[in-house]
Amino acid sequence: MTTRALAENDDDSDYMLPLLHTNKKLKTSVNTSTDYSDSTRKNMYLDTVNRKNLDFDFEKICCVTLSPSNVYCCLTCGKYFQGRSVNSPCFAHSINDNHHIFISFSNLKVYCLPENYEIKTSLDDIKFQINPKYSEVDVNLLQSGKLGTGTDLDGTEYTQSVIGMNNIKGNDYTNVILQALIHIPKIRDFFLLKDHSEESNELLKRFSIIVKKMYSLKLFRNHVSPHEILQCIDVMSKKKFTIGTKGMPNDFLLWFVNTLNSDTKIFSSSLQGKLEISTSIKGKDEVIVKRQKFWELNLKLPPVSVLKKEKPLQTSLYTLLEPYTNSTDIIVSETQTTRYKITKFPEYLVLNFNRFMDFNLNIPLDLKERNKSIVEFPFNLEFNNGEVKYKLISNVVHYEMNNQSNWKIQMNLNRKWYEIDNLQITEKEKEFLFLNETCLQIWRRVK
Ligand SMILES: [Zn+2]
């Protein structure tokens, strides 16, 4: 079998010539022996591996059968095929296209086809692209705030985790949330250190992989495509968040953390706080006290009706936070007042600024009517007279372009502020960040 397959390939192949130097040499080797020495086997066809064609960000399904099981990647052209047996698409591809080196996505073993033997070679850089792994030492370095420098296949240097994400179609709103979550240190460390490859929750598994890719110093190209995780989000959200349709970052964030919260407590232990809500009804002495967990604090921007046809109003973050910090009664209706008190401050505080809602009239606003108020914010936030302190780590902003909503994220990484707009990365002066339409912020508790 081995002899026949090799001889056939040899007869009609120009492609193999450079690999084995001369046609004559190949024929000789085929004719004299099919039992190659280990070293010949080891190196055969390895120089057909073309890293520039390899992209492991896509869903691991066979391009012929669309099946997700038993899928291999051809390391010459980068396509995914099923199987290794004689009738498989993988086998057919090796014969038809004369491509020979395949890696299994399930166990990362490398095979030579059509001969069908395992190649005991490392190809560690390729395996790392598929399944990056990190040690405590790597994570300790990140915790010290030091980001490494990687170099992609084109020789372009990039700062670790300062990586753009492809906007496949309308998924900038999911990109900003994935970026924000990936850059929360506690969440980052958890996913970098834990092997989720056997995880039954597919979303958790795919999130784990994208976190690991984002911190890789060995990326073949200096961006990551969220394709694989978005496919899973599409299915798990029953098309609520589907590729090709724009959505709201905050809706996606809440769906994402709630969906994963049943399988991992990392999101709730990082982001959830507790709130005490006291409600008083006019004419009654009774105060109803409710305690509830929160993922985020919703901040009400100044009413949009006041702003119409005027310059955007400027407000400050401390003003917007007053309902949560002032211990004063908020008038909910003519007969009802409510008072909020934060009883547990989360490790990472999420603030949501809804620009698409008029809270006075309780009506949603469209793109043109949205609340464009400018929120002036500090970079250090204090609660309870300085007992609790936070530092801003990321800021999601909205902008209008081509008559639609777009989102980008600004993050404090490596002691600099970067703005990441899908694939575009710009260093920003922090003094100007508040000029954008802030939609969502994440703060890290430092005290
Ligand atoms: Zn191929």
Side-chain angles (χ1 to χ4, degrees):
M1 172 63 214
T2 307
T3 317
R4 193 177 59 83
L6 251 186
E8 278 174 6
N9 282 344
D10 173 43
D11 285 342
D12 61 6
S13 166
D14 293 332
Y15 194 80
M16 277 176 57
L17 294 181
L19 310 178
L20 293 170
H21 310 300
T22 67
N23 209 9
K24 197 176 164 202
K25 193 173 170 186
L26 175 69
K27 277 193 169 138
T28 311
S29 77
V30 169
N31 291 338
T32 51
S33 168
T34 57
D35 190 19
Y36 304 114
S37 70
D38 271 1
S39 65
T40 315
R41 276 196 156 193
K42 223 174 170 177
N43 299 322
M44 201 176 226
Y45 304 122
L46 276 184
D47 51 2
T48 64
V49 171
N50 189 344
R51 286 166 175 77
K52 290 209 169 182
N53 287 341
L54 305 182
D55 189 340
F56 302 117
D57 289 347
F58 293 96
E59 182 135 50
K60 308 298 182 289
I61 53 171
C62 170
C63 67
V64 179
T65 64
L66 304 181
S67 164
S69 68
N70 203 17
V71 178
Y72 294 76
C73 177
C74 169
L75 296 186
T76 303
C77 67
K79 286 183 182 161
Y80 302 169
F81 296 97
Q82 192 179 13
R84 233 170 58 225
S85 62
V86 177
N87 296 320
S88 67
C90 209
F91 189 92
H93 178 68
S94 75
I95 303 275
N96 298 339
D97 294 75
N98 217 353
H99 294 173
H100 301 281
I101 312 282
F102 296 85
I103 191 163
S104 159
F105 282 127
S106 49
N107 58 19
L108 299 185
K109 286 184 178 174
V110 180
Y111 293 91
C112 182
L113 291 180
E115 292 82 352
N116 203 357
Y117 60 83
E118 188 185 340
I119 303 174
K120 299 283 189 193
T121 179
S122 61
L123 293 178
D124 282 345
D125 63 324
I126 292 174
K127 291 176 185 171
F128 193 86
Q129 304 299 312
I130 301 170
N131 188 22
K133 288 195 168 124
Y134 294 84
S135 66
E136 296 268 358
V137 176
D138 300 324
V139 170
N140 289 344
L141 265 176
L142 287 168
Q143 283 171 347
S144 73
K146 185 93 193 87
L147 295 173
T149 303
T151 309
D152 69 9
L153 285 182
D154 292 330
T156 309
E157 285 194 347
Y158 64 91
T159 304
Q160 188 174 21
S161 87
V162 186
I163 301 291
M165 265 190 207
N166 268 338
N167 186 358
I168 299 158
K169 207 178 174 207
N171 57 286
D172 51 333
Y173 77 99
T174 51
N175 282 356
V176 291
I177 295 301
L178 292 173
Q179 287 273 16
L181 293 172
I182 287 168
H183 286 94
I184 289 178
K186 186 172 173 174
I187 293 174
R188 170 198 73 195
D189 297 350
F190 174 81
F191 283 98
L192 289 186
L193 289 174
K194 201 159 181 240
D195 181 10
H196 288 92
S197 53
E198 301 299 320
E199 182 59 59
S200 60
N201 184 325
E202 194 59 30
L203 184 58
L204 201 58
K205 196 168 127 183
R206 294 189 188 193
F207 183 70
S208 173
I209 288 177
I210 200 166
V211 177
K212 292 181 172 97
K213 284 183 179 175
M214 289 289 290
Y215 284 91
S216 171
L217 286 168
K218 300 170 188 170
L219 289 174
F220 284 175
R221 44 189 80 73
N222 64 359
H223 61 265
V224 163
S225 170
H227 194 271
E228 207 173 6
I229 192 168
L230 291 183
Q231 292 284 343
C232 182
I233 288 163
D234 187 305
V235 174
M236 284 182 72
S237 73
K238 299 189 174 67
K239 298 214 170 288
K240 187 176 175 198
F241 304 105
T242 189
I243 298 172
T245 308
K246 287 259 186 184
M248 293 289 178
N250 190 55
D251 293 347
F252 173 66
L253 169 70
L254 293 178
W255 174 83
F256 192 84
V257 291
N258 277 310
T259 302
L260 289 182
N261 200 37
S262 52
D263 285 303
T264 174
K265 293 292 162 225
I266 186 63
F267 294 101
S268 54
S269 69
S270 307
L271 306 173
Q272 262 183 0
K274 282 183 192 152
L275 205 56
E276 191 180 272
I277 306 164
S278 313
T279 307
S280 313
I281 309 286
K282 207 174 176 182
K284 286 187 183 175
D285 282 343
E286 195 189 359
V287 178
I288 304 158
V289 179
K290 228 170 72 181
R291 290 179 184 87
Q292 67 178 49
K293 292 175 183 168
F294 67 88
W295 286 112
E296 61 187 17
L297 296 181
N298 288 302
L299 307 183
K300 289 181 184 173
L301 294 165
V304 77
S305 42
V306 177
L307 315 170
K308 269 185 183 163
K309 293 184 183 127
E310 288 172 24
K311 261 177 68 185
L313 203 77
Q314 193 154 329
T315 182
S316 85
L317 182 57
Y318 277 111
T319 307
L320 297 181
L321 279 166
E322 273 171 8
Y324 300 101
T325 54
N326 247 7
S327 296
T328 48
D329 290 332
I330 302 151
I331 298 160
V332 179
S333 67
E334 274 181 26
T335 55
Q336 190 186 327
T337 57
T338 296
R339 184 179 287 199
Y340 295 106
K341 190 178 176 220
I342 300 170
T343 52
K344 186 198 162 199
F345 284 90
E347 214 170 318
Y348 295 91
L349 177 68
V350 181
L351 301 180
N352 175 39
F353 309 75
N354 192 339
R355 295 184 174 273
F356 294 87
M357 188 76 192
D358 187 318
F359 291 100
N360 271 12
L361 303 170
N362 209 19
I363 49 165
L365 302 170
D366 65 18
L367 178 67
K368 296 291 171 205
E369 297 168 333
R370 75 183 184 278
N371 196 320
K372 294 180 190 166
S373 303
I374 290 168
V375 182
E376 210 176 334
F377 54 84
F379 290 86
N380 298 291
L381 194 57
E382 287 186 12
F383 291 90
N384 297 354
N385 299 318
E387 260 175 48
V388 176
K389 287 184 180 174
Y390 284 94
K391 248 185 183 355
L392 183 65
I393 58 171
S394 57
N395 185 40
V396 172
V397 301
H398 171 268
Y399 67 97
E400 183 182 343
M401 200 176 71
N402 302 330
N403 281 323
Q404 60 176 3
S405 283
N406 298 278
W407 281 273
K408 54 189 177 183
I409 184 164
Q410 299 161 339
M411 286 184 287
N412 187 13
L413 298 166
N414 232 11
R415 296 175 193 95
K416 288 177 189 163
W417 277 92
Y418 290 98
E419 181 174 274
I420 304 186
D421 187 351
N422 298 313
L423 291 176
Q424 207 179 321
I425 301 170
T426 330
E427 212 181 305
K428 297 293 277 187
E429 294 287 337
K430 73 183 222 181
E431 287 73 22
F432 297 115
L433 296 184
F434 74 89
L435 293 174
N436 297 106
E437 287 176 34
T438 291
C439 282
L440 194 131
Q441 291 182 334
I442 299 184
W443 294 77
R444 179 185 193 172
R445 190 168 175 181
V446 289
K447 187 185 167 189

